[in-house]
Amino acid sequence: MTDSTKAPLAHISPDTSPEHISSLFREAIEEHVKTFMDQQRHDLSRVSHRTNALVDAISSLSSGGKRLRPIFALWGALAAGGDANDERLLTLGTALELFQAAALIHDDIIDHSDTRRGQPAVHRKLEALHRENEWNRSASEFGIAGAILAGDIALALSETLFNQANAGAKARELFDEMRTQVMAGQYLDVLAEQTGSQLTPNEAAENAWTIVTYKAARYSAEKPTLLGAALAGADQELLDGLSAFSLPAGQAFQLRDDELGVFGDPAQTGKPAGDDIREGKRTLLIALTRQRISEEQQAWLESVLGREDLDDSTIEEVRELIRNSGAAEDHARQIDALYDEAMTALDALDIPEQAREGLRSVAAAAVRRHA
């Protein structure tokens, strides 16, 4: 680890703004991820330099970004009285980032996504590498196979880093639970795309809530916050209080993500306009729409969801249907209600004021974003 990452927050004081503290930690995580992945490239090169493509793909995906999960973990630790310069927080944060990379790589394969964060998805990068070198057999199959392995490597490295963090038995329990829940939630998401039309609108809404909670909310906000707190020695009462804050914050985060998947600006999201419609995502937004439209409109919506060849005008028709049904407005209200629930729980916690404002700041960044 470089000197710059040993004590990234050494000069903070009780008067330092939460935003500045988060920014410093984000920069330290960026450096830590880069240093760690450079080491992995060196180590795997001893197997073969041809493995560099896998490491480079993971490194590129892991570069930049909001670093919300490590920052939730930082403020969870500070809420429990932890030290901002505890090097284990950097190790834990990097483990969370690589777990996120693994999830995104596999998610993009499952969803047949072409882009991620404004660049080609990992399986598309490896597919292009195959074409550029005019290798044998199928470029598409190579891209998928290589990306699966890249995701597996990222997952394995995440586990390695978590072990190095030495965060304790409670954190181990939380980390294991997080991984299993995300994979179960991902399966339910895939299943919903295949069976969604067979569910009633009310059943679809209930199913969407389960996916929101387990595929996204728990690992995006709740578990990172609790992992940081557990690393710092939080008792069960504090963990429960932090969960009451971070779970609705994570749910609001995912609902906002689903909103952006339909209405977001591609220049900001890094994904094509209406991508969730092309992918046939059975989100709460779609379920709320189905609850409010006629059977004829439902049939039309079912006929277009998941079609990769949708043109822009049809995408806009779906958007208009969602808006005119009142679902978009209801969905936005639910985001606001979840955010308010999180803030109420946060205000009730007996934690240092700087930590409270830090958690408030990162939750706002997660929910009130445009990308």
Side-chain angles (χ1 to χ4, degrees):
M1 188 181 298
T2 64
D3 290 341
S4 64
T5 60
K6 284 184 178 178
L9 308 183
H11 303 296
I12 68 170
S13 72
D15 297 327
T16 306
S17 73
E19 291 80 8
H20 186 55
I21 293 171
S22 293
S23 179
L24 289 173
F25 191 69
R26 185 181 299 108
E27 292 171 5
I29 286 288
E30 184 75 24
E31 180 62 27
H32 199 269
V33 170
K34 182 180 183 302
T35 299
F36 180 76
M37 292 308 302
D38 285 348
Q39 183 62 52
Q40 302 315 305
R41 184 181 294 101
H42 177 266
D43 291 348
L44 281 176
S45 289
R46 290 184 292 186
V47 175
S48 170
H49 72 277
R50 303 185 80 180
T51 62
N52 287 350
L54 291 180
V55 180
D56 289 345
I58 299 168
S59 296
S60 179
L61 182 62
S62 301
S63 177
K66 302 175 186 68
R67 309 299 190 193
L68 287 174
R69 291 162 186 82
I71 294 172
F72 269 118
L74 166 70
W75 289 112
L78 296 185
D83 179 0
N85 288 293
D86 186 340
E87 291 185 40
R88 296 179 302 162
L89 284 171
L90 287 173
T91 306
L92 173 63
T94 303
L96 289 168
E97 285 297 291
L98 286 172
F99 181 78
Q100 163 77 342
L104 293 179
I105 291 168
H106 288 162
D107 193 50
D108 285 343
I109 296 169
I110 292 168
D111 291 341
H112 310 289
S113 296
D114 293 326
T115 61
R116 171 66 67 176
R117 293 175 175 171
Q119 59 179 310
V122 168
H123 62 287
R124 296 303 186 203
K125 285 185 177 181
L126 295 175
E127 180 181 334
L129 181 67
H130 183 290
R131 295 188 194 283
E132 289 165 8
N133 287 278
E134 299 181 346
W135 291 335
N136 298 328
R137 303 183 66 178
S138 167
S140 175
E141 290 181 6
F142 172 79
I144 291 171
I148 290 171
L149 294 170
D152 289 348
I153 290 172
L155 191 62
L157 293 176
S158 174
E159 174 68 16
T160 296
L161 282 162
F162 180 80
N163 287 334
Q164 290 176 2
N166 193 26
K170 184 60 181 179
R172 173 80 267 177
E173 177 187 333
L174 290 165
F175 192 76
D176 289 345
E177 191 177 67
M178 175 187 74
R179 293 184 304 170
T180 304
Q181 288 178 346
V182 168
M183 294 171 192
Q186 178 69 76
Y187 172 74
L188 291 176
D189 194 26
V190 172
L191 184 63
E193 291 178 24
Q194 304 300 317
T195 64
S197 62
Q198 299 173 14
L199 301 178
T200 68
N202 289 342
E203 289 171 338
E206 182 180 353
N207 192 59
W209 266 114
T210 301
I211 295 168
V212 162
T213 299
Y214 290 98
K215 182 189 172 185
R218 292 198 183 276
Y219 106 98
S220 295
E222 186 200 32
K223 288 300 192 292
T225 304
L226 299 186
L227 282 165
L231 179 149
D235 60 21
Q236 191 59 48
E237 182 180 2
L238 178 56
L239 292 174
D240 290 344
L242 287 169
S243 178
F245 151 75
S246 55
L247 180 56
Q251 290 169 326
F253 166 81
Q254 183 56 40
L255 292 189
R256 178 65 173 149
D257 199 62
D258 293 341
E259 180 182 84
L260 291 170
V262 173
F263 297 110
D265 180 355
Q268 294 183 301
T269 64
K271 301 278 281 185
D275 210 37
D276 279 7
I277 298 170
R278 289 189 180 88
E279 292 174 5
K281 289 292 186 182
R282 299 289 173 163
T283 62
L284 182 64
L285 186 57
I286 294 298
L288 292 174
T289 302
R290 288 184 61 203
Q291 288 177 332
R292 290 162 169 78
I293 58 179
S294 68
E295 290 186 5
E296 182 180 354
Q297 289 172 314
Q298 286 192 53
W300 177 80
L301 182 60
E302 292 295 341
S303 74
V304 298
L305 279 176
R307 276 180 43 195
E308 296 180 7
D309 63 342
L310 292 183
D311 56 28
D312 290 343
S313 63
T314 306
I315 293 288
E316 187 54 36
E317 284 185 67
V318 175
R319 287 177 175 146
E320 283 300 308
L321 180 64
I322 294 170
R323 290 190 192 100
N324 293 339
S325 72
E329 186 177 356
D330 186 11
H331 194 263
R333 281 196 299 267
Q334 295 200 39
I335 294 173
D336 289 341
L338 286 164
Y339 183 76
D340 290 344
E341 179 184 343
M343 293 304 103
T344 298
L346 179 60
D347 288 338
L349 291 174
D350 182 17
I351 58 176
E353 195 59 29
Q354 191 176 54
R356 188 188 325 278
E357 293 311 307
L359 288 168
R360 195 186 313 278
S361 173
V362 68
V367 177
R368 307 301 190 196
R369 72 195 198 283
H370 299 284

